[in-house]
Amino acid sequence: MWNRYHAAMEADRKWWERGVVYQIYPRSFSDSTGNGIGDLEGIRQKLPYLSDVLGIDAIWLSPFYPSPQKDFGYDVSDYVDVDPEYGTLEDFDRLVADFHAVGIRVIVDFVPNHSSDQHPWFIESASSRANEKRDWYVWADGKPDGAEPNNWLSLFGGKAWEWHGPTGQYYLHTFLKEQPDLNWRNSELEAAMFDVLRFWMDRGVDGFRIDVAHYVVKDPELRDNPLADPDAPSDHFKPMGEFETLNHIYSKAHPDIHPLYQRLRAVVDEYDDRYTIGEAHITDLEEWASYFGANLDELHQPFHFALLSKATDRESVRAVVAGQEAILPDGAWPNYVIGNHDEPRVAKRYGEDSIRRLAVLLLTLRGTVTMYYGDELGMLEGVELGLDPWGVNLEGVSRDGCRTPMQWTPDGGFSTSAETWLPMGPDLKNRNVETELADPGSVLNLYRRLLAVRKSSEALTVGDYHEVESANDDVLMYERVAGEERVIVGVSFADSSVAVAVTGEVLVSTDLRDGHADGSWTIEPHGAVVIRG
Ligand code: GLC
């Protein structure tokens, strides 16, 4: 199983394969100006926390580009600048230089599916049918009776088409009407967007998280989507309303998307050692895996989102891991994520009991880890305030609650202003960096221990993954192996204590007990343990 070839492969593993990526929602991380909104300089000032307290390997910044903020930055009105709310390009350069100086990579968001309707490209495109940028967006005539060109629906509710009176056509918007879809079938648009990638790589950016990567190319004939088969598995785990009535085969993921990602990859490969990870909510694993490219020549990784909704019990988690491991093309590397800026906080999805065991699971599975800011504190879901436009259009999907400001101190510590853009989350008093650092048994100290143990272990960073027989139906057991090193993990979904049969030094236990397991170790209810075998 282990041979020289294998060992060489592991030594060669890329930074993004070994590393832990930490997602920052810039609006909510740290406010250096006192206006209640986070900014780039605030993030830069928190470098010691990220490098010394946590020890993560890369940050991913959600959009900080100029934007009318209709979708809080995912409506970009200039792809190559910084919104004054978040700072300046000089602030960005300073941030990159400081992070690079301590070996932390910087990944930025790339939003290719749509721009803001305030982007100069769209303003030009909408100015006349003859404008040279008309074709940079998706325009179409209405039906003879004036109805929309087809039956496509917006993910954020309602039709995906908006009538534009002055030029007498509809334009496509997969999201808000203020987020018109770009037309990637136009080669000038493609070239302009590829230059955006070069612009940021020239500034030192190490990679891109690609927004709704699978939506970018549509059916050129704009055919009607067929009705959904109500028994087919959904790619969504939120209540999507009317959107769920159609099977969106023509409005996303046209096969031409693959040559596009090959060309995009070639642009990224003009630079050394860069990384792309695409947002791809795709349940069908074969289709999901197609985004690596037939020759691993498309995205470095499509996000594997299954643990956002399926980390409920041993069998589900087992199936998720086995599924990804089995479908992964040769040479590709898995990835996992348990929270992001679009999903309710972990405690809301799985219960507070799950916070610790899921931390262990995330940081010990084989694959790139993406952590969401605040999850390392066990931050709870905040209240819905009616700011997230998706939540305004549709019940039960608001993302306000997972975007509350980072909790630095018992008083907040996010901003000097009492009025923050979203109020601080619940349980601020106990769940904040200052308080948790002082408490040896805190969630933060569990994450710190896990991050440190992972970094110091070849088995945990790059080792093989094998399931291990578990005597208890509620405990998932697996091992990670690299050369002589073997680490055994037990993750319990039981609500009482369970003894597992293991021997070795305890590297991490969810209750932060140290010790040695001599044939048996008792995992606390909902807990987990990591043992050097
Ligand atoms: C992605 C982003 C989400 C955004 C949407 C539209 O799903 O993660 O936050 O609203 O795309 O850009």
Side-chain angles (χ1 to χ4, degrees):
M1 180 177 68
W2 183 265
N3 55 29
R4 280 226 306 269
Y5 163 77
H6 207 141
M9 286 276 298
E10 314 236 308
D12 274 1
R13 286 281 170 211
K14 301 275 193 196
W15 63 268
W16 51 268
E17 293 176 312
R18 296 181 155 265
V20 172
V21 180
Y22 184 92
Q23 181 190 357
I24 292 178
Y25 197 67
R27 224 176 161 71
S28 298
F29 199 60
S30 176
D31 167 20
S32 73
T33 63
N35 67 351
I37 297 171
D39 47 60
L40 294 181
E41 175 58 16
I43 297 169
R44 194 186 68 84
Q45 290 171 5
K46 295 300 184 186
L47 175 57
Y49 172 73
L50 297 165
S51 69
D52 305 341
V53 176
L54 293 181
I56 47 90
D57 303 281
I59 54 168
W60 148 32
L61 299 170
S62 282
F64 50 78
Y65 314 113
S67 165
Q69 309 293 343
K70 294 281 182 202
D71 189 19
F72 296 110
Y74 284 96
D75 48 325
V76 179
S77 55
D78 183 351
Y79 284 104
V80 289
D81 205 346
V82 174
D83 194 296
E85 265 186 352
Y86 300 132
T88 62
L89 275 175
E90 289 66 42
D91 292 335
F92 180 79
D93 292 343
R94 217 171 302 129
L95 182 156
V96 171
D98 283 13
F99 276 65
H100 280 177
V102 297
I104 297 184
R105 318 271 173 156
V106 179
I107 298 165
V108 300
D109 226 295
F110 181 58
V111 189
N113 183 68
H114 45 269
S115 71
S116 159
D117 63 346
Q118 299 307 305
H119 195 295
W121 295 345
F122 186 72
I123 294 174
E124 273 192 56
S125 183
S127 66
S128 97
R129 286 201 194 195
N131 185 277
E132 56 179 27
K133 290 200 173 58
R134 181 66 171 183
D135 189 45
W136 284 33
Y137 291 83
V138 184
W139 294 94
D141 294 331
K143 294 260 172 67
D145 66 356
E148 289 80 7
N150 63 26
N151 69 351
W152 294 1
L153 296 172
S154 157
L155 259 138
F156 280 175
K159 304 273 189 218
W161 295 98
E162 181 70 10
W163 175 248
H164 185 251
T167 55
Q169 279 192 311
Y170 285 91
Y171 66 85
L172 179 67
H173 59 92
T174 300
F175 293 89
L176 298 175
K177 68 176 171 30
E178 293 87 357
Q179 293 169 296
D181 280 37
L182 289 158
N183 178 17
W184 280 81
R185 295 187 181 280
N186 179 295
S187 57
E188 284 174 27
L189 177 274
E190 178 179 301
M193 288 299 272
F194 285 173
D195 280 345
V196 169
L197 298 175
R198 293 189 184 95
F199 174 89
W200 291 106
M201 288 189 285
D202 285 340
R203 292 197 107 87
V205 155
D206 300 285
F208 300 96
R209 176 269 187 185
I210 301 179
D211 191 59
V212 285
H214 55 318
Y215 267 87
V216 170
V217 185
K218 287 102 187 165
D219 178 37
E221 293 168 42
L222 306 178
R223 277 171 280 188
D224 273 345
N225 280 323
L227 290 178
D229 168 359
D231 298 328
S234 169
D235 285 333
H236 301 274
F237 35 87
K238 290 187 176 184
M240 299 293 292
E242 190 193 2
F243 192 76
E244 262 163 342
T245 60
L246 297 180
N247 183 3
H248 308 275
I249 52 171
Y250 292 124
S251 51
K252 65 175 181 188
H254 186 277
D256 290 345
I257 203 160
H258 293 293
L260 165 61
Y261 283 129
Q262 286 171 358
R263 296 193 296 277
L264 183 145
R265 176 64 174 269
V267 171
V268 170
D269 286 348
E270 291 167 11
Y271 296 73
D272 276 352
D273 218 12
R274 310 297 156 116
Y275 168 57
T276 51
I277 181 162
E279 184 196 17
H281 285 278
I282 303 171
T283 320
D284 182 284
L285 283 175
E286 239 164 79
E287 192 195 336
W288 172 80
S290 71
Y291 285 82
F292 287 102
N295 301 305
L296 296 190
D297 53 357
E298 297 184 30
L299 303 180
H300 294 85
Q301 293 179 320
F303 261 117
H304 189 74
F305 284 131
L307 290 184
L308 291 174
S309 61
K310 297 206 170 98
T312 44
D313 57 280
R314 179 178 87 150
E315 280 319 301
S316 308
V317 173
R318 229 172 119 184
V320 165
V321 177
Q324 181 170 202
E325 288 283 344
I327 200 75
L328 215 62
D330 268 358
W333 188 248
N335 75 87
Y336 293 96
V337 54
I338 56 164
N340 65 30
H341 65 295
D342 291 328
E343 306 304 329
R345 286 280 177 185
V346 172
K348 168 97 181 190
R349 268 176 290 134
Y350 294 117
E352 270 183 62
D353 285 344
S354 282
I355 290 175
R356 286 169 187 259
R357 70 164 161 243
L358 293 184
V360 173
L361 184 72
L362 179 70
L363 284 153
T364 59
L365 286 174
R366 189 179 88 108
T368 304
V369 170
T370 307
M371 289 172 55
Y372 184 49
Y373 85 92
D375 275 355
E376 76 276 22
L377 305 173
M379 268 172 63
L380 303 178
E381 182 80 355
V383 290
E384 181 178 341
L385 271 198
L387 294 190
D388 174 20
W390 193 6
V392 170
N393 290 349
L394 215 64
E395 206 167 311
V397 297
S398 174
R399 299 168 294 178
D400 292 342
C402 67
R403 297 173 174 178
T404 56
M406 177 69 175
Q407 297 169 189
W408 296 100
T409 66
D411 301 328
F414 160 73
S415 172
T416 53
S417 165
E419 295 254 314
T420 52
W421 81 279
L422 278 172
M424 302 303 294
D427 204 12
L428 169 64
K429 238 180 143 25
N430 298 307
R431 294 172 201 262
N432 63 76
V433 173
E434 191 182 295
T435 306
E436 291 195 38
L437 271 181
D439 169 6
S442 65
V443 173
L444 177 56
N445 277 320
L446 171 64
Y447 264 95
R448 294 180 69 203
R449 176 79 79 95
L450 283 163
L451 286 160
V453 162
R454 183 184 155 99
K455 190 161 269 180
S456 67
S457 161
E458 280 294 286
L460 286 175
T461 37
V462 295
D464 289 342
Y465 167 93
H466 311 286
E467 255 184 55
V468 172
E469 188 83 19
S470 165
N472 188 304
D473 284 352
D474 288 324
V475 182
L476 176 70
M477 301 279 298
Y478 50 92
E479 61 175 15
R480 301 288 313 283
V481 182
E484 299 295 299
E485 191 197 355
R486 175 166 180 254
V487 174
I488 305 153
V489 183
V491 179
S492 171
F493 293 86
D495 43 24
S496 53
S497 304
V498 264
V500 291
V502 276
T503 296
E505 178 204 351
V506 173
L507 299 174
V508 191
S509 167
T510 39
D511 50 13
L512 290 156
R513 257 181 308 157
D514 287 318
H516 188 89
D518 252 331
S520 171
W521 178 263
T522 303
I523 306 182
E524 61 169 338
H526 306 286
V529 68
V530 184
I531 288 182
R532 187 177 298 292

